[in-house]
Each structure stands twice: as structure tokens, then as C-alpha cells.
Amino acid sequence: MARVELYVSVDVEADGPIPGPYSMLSFGMAVCGTFDGTEFTASDPSERTFYAELKPIGDDFDPKALEVSGLDRGRLVREGRDPAEAMDAAAAWVRTVAGGALPVLVAYPLAYDWMWLYWYWMRFTSRSPFGHSRHLDIKSLYAAKAGAMVAQSTKRQMPAALLPDRPHTHNALDDALEQAELFQNLFRWGG
């Protein structure tokens, strides 16, 4: 018998396009709900959240990427959390909120957020609380349910009833909450 899955919406803000040469500056996580194979039970995503701002791991950065998030890289150099400590704390949070459920990471778009988080967990803790493959792309979920091409599966092209009420602010926690609401709407949507 399959275990219950717990869906966790995540969002990342970084100072460049890829981890390693560039740094993840912040990430947010919010619990979306659970699925037992038959029934999806939504959670208020604002009730169980995690947010961290991290010290940059190198000197390289793209000024345009910083403009998107609005984060002050100089402040993060001085005040950001140590990446190893933050990733340990995030993994512990995931294990706590999951309890006996199997945590699944959800994001829009998944490739970007997963790339950063997985790289950071492997680099700083050697283990991801989501394993190497427990993740779900919200954009792909929409494309499959809508019978739409991936290129035509942007938020601008989704039915208004699916779109979240929360704004997209480029604050990692705000955006994780927004994506959690979109995921809940899509999961319940018949297509």
C-alpha cells in the first residue's frame, strides 16, 4: 500500500542562472496538502512554512538576477544564514511537517527551483529530504490536465479560475504560497 504524499511548494531566488558559480540567496517552502492515492486534502499553505536567506557562496553574481528578487547581496554576505545550517534546518522542517507521509516537492517551473535546492542539499548536507526524484512540475501538471502544449501552459494562458489570489512578488516565501494555491487549484481541477 502506498504511503500518503505531502506536497510542499517551493520557490528559490538566486543571483545567477546556475548553482555553483552563483548563489541561492533565499528559498521558501509551504505545505500544500496531502494525497492518499484517492483523495487530495488541501492545507492552508500559510500555516506551515519555512523561509531562509543565505550567505552567498561565491563572488560571482548577475545584477539582473538581483534586481528580480530585490535582495541586498551585501547584507546577505554579512547577515545571511550559513548554507549548511540553513539546508539542515530546511531538511529537518520537511521531515517534521511530513511526519509519516512521503514529502513531494512542487514548483513552477520545477527545473529551476529543484536544480538549486537539490544542488545545495547535496553540496552542504549530502542528502535531500525529497530524495532524488520526488518532485512534480506544476506547469507540466497543467499541460497534462489541459491537453495543452508545454509552450502554451504559462500562467497567462491558464483559465482564470485556476489562478491564485496571492500575488507573485519574487519574495521566495510569498511565491511558494502563491504556487501552493495554484497547485491546489490544479490538483482539484478536472481539466
Side-chain angles (χ1 to χ4, degrees), residues 46-101:
S46 63
E47 287 182 359
R48 293 182 286 172
T49 65
F50 182 93
Y51 178 73
E53 293 182 352
L54 292 82
K55 287 186 185 301
I57 60 172
D59 295 330
D60 291 340
F61 65 93
D62 178 350
K64 291 180 182 177
L66 288 176
E67 285 177 26
V68 171
S69 70
L71 290 166
D72 180 338
R73 196 171 191 283
R75 180 185 64 79
L76 293 176
V77 167
R78 295 184 309 275
E79 301 171 9
R81 291 171 78 168
D82 173 75
E85 180 276 325
M87 300 316 290
D88 274 338
W93 178 85
V94 170
R95 287 190 298 273
T96 298
V97 297

Side-chain angles (χ1 to χ4, degrees), residues 69-147:
S69 70
L71 290 166
D72 180 338
R73 196 171 191 283
R75 180 185 64 79
L76 293 176
V77 167
R78 295 184 309 275
E79 301 171 9
R81 291 171 78 168
D82 173 75
E85 180 276 325
M87 300 316 290
D88 274 338
W93 178 85
V94 170
R95 287 190 298 273
T96 298
V97 297
L102 201 58
V104 176
L105 183 148
V106 300
Y108 183 104
L110 174 70
Y112 183 80
D113 300 294
W114 177 254
M115 170 180 64
W116 284 97
L117 286 166
Y118 188 72
W119 190 93
Y120 265 69
W121 268 311
M122 296 309 293
R123 168 69 175 83
F124 293 106
T125 70
S126 301
R127 186 168 178 228
S128 162
F130 299 99
H132 70 277
S133 65
R134 280 193 317 273
H135 48 72
L136 182 60
D137 180 36
I138 296 171
K139 183 175 184 171
S140 298
L141 178 63
Y142 171 77
K145 284 191 161 201

Side-chain angles (χ1 to χ4, degrees), residues 16-66:
I18 59 171
Y22 300 99
S23 303
M24 179 167 64
L25 300 180
S26 68
F27 66 100
M29 300 189 289
V31 173
C32 303
T34 58
F35 182 58
D36 64 7
T38 303
E39 185 177 347
F40 176 72
T41 304
S43 300
D44 177 347
S46 63
E47 287 182 359
R48 293 182 286 172
T49 65
F50 182 93
Y51 178 73
E53 293 182 352
L54 292 82
K55 287 186 185 301
I57 60 172
D59 295 330
D60 291 340
F61 65 93
D62 178 350
K64 291 180 182 177
L66 288 176

Side-chain angles (χ1 to χ4, degrees), residues 5 7 34-41 136 141 145 162 181-190:
E5 292 181 337
Y7 298 104
T34 58
F35 182 58
D36 64 7
T38 303
E39 185 177 347
F40 176 72
T41 304
L136 182 60
L141 178 63
K145 284 191 161 201
L162 293 177
E181 190 176 314
L182 176 61
F183 177 78
Q184 291 170 341
N185 294 344
L186 276 171
F187 205 99
R188 294 182 288 231
W189 185 52

